[in-house]
């Protein structure tokens, strides 16, 4: 029992942090490609707003969250909790994205949700 608990508390190595970042970036890129296709195929947005820019901004926001999370919290969470804690962290600071981006159609927020859902499913 003690050994199992010990394994759950081991911090991520630099290599594992890089793999974590790469994994999240791959998810971001796949969601961006899909969502840009969706907004490009739409005849027009409900509001007439530039949803293409919002998708790109949302993806950039999540990628910045990865950098900030790894820099500030790499030693605070066990490997087994890292993905889930990243999702919580991103949700908590998502308000920063909302403050900086006018998102009348919810495309930016939806893109962040799509990314976080894919992260949940992938881990």
């Amino acid at each position: 029992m003690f050994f199992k608990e010990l394994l759950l508390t081991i911090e991520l190595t630099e290599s594992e942090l890089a793999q974590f970042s790469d994994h999240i970036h791959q998810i971001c890129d796949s969601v961006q490609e899909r969502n840009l296709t969706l907004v490009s195929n739409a005849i027009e947005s409900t509001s007439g707003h530039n949803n293409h820019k919002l998708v790109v901004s949302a993806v950039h926001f999540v990628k910045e969250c990865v950098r900030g999370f790894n820099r500030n919290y790499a030693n605070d969470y066990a490997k087994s909790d890292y993905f889930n804690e990243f999702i919580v962290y991103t949700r908590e600071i998502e308000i920063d994205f909302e403050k900086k981006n006018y998102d009348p159609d919810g495309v930016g927020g939806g893109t962040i949700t799509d990314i976080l859902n894919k992260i949940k499913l992938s881990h």
Side-chain angles (χ1 to χ4, degrees), residues 61-62 65 69 73 76-77 83-99 112-113 116:
F61 173 78
V62 174
C65 286
F69 187 74
Y73 300 105
D76 293 352
Y77 300 111
F83 278 89
N84 289 333
E85 292 299 334
F86 172 73
I87 291 168
V88 170
Y89 167 80
T90 304
R91 281 286 178 219
E92 288 175 353
I93 65 168
E94 188 175 355
I95 194 160
D96 293 343
F97 175 82
E98 294 166 1
K99 286 179 182 176
I112 293 169
T113 297
L116 297 180

Side-chain angles (χ1 to χ4, degrees), residues 8 12 16 19-20 23-24 27 78-87 115-123:
L8 294 176
L12 278 77
E16 290 168 325
Q19 289 173 356
F20 172 80
H23 181 69
I24 303 299
I27 289 172
K79 289 179 189 180
S80 60
D81 298 331
Y82 208 72
F83 278 89
N84 289 333
E85 292 299 334
F86 172 73
I87 291 168
I115 293 167
L116 297 180
N117 285 341
K118 267 191 116 167
I119 292 169
K120 246 186 247 182
L121 291 174
S122 75
H123 187 67

Side-chain angles (χ1 to χ4, degrees), residues 12-23:
L12 278 77
T13 64
E14 289 297 318
S15 173
E16 290 168 325
L17 288 171
Q19 289 173 356
F20 172 80
S21 295
D22 290 345
H23 181 69

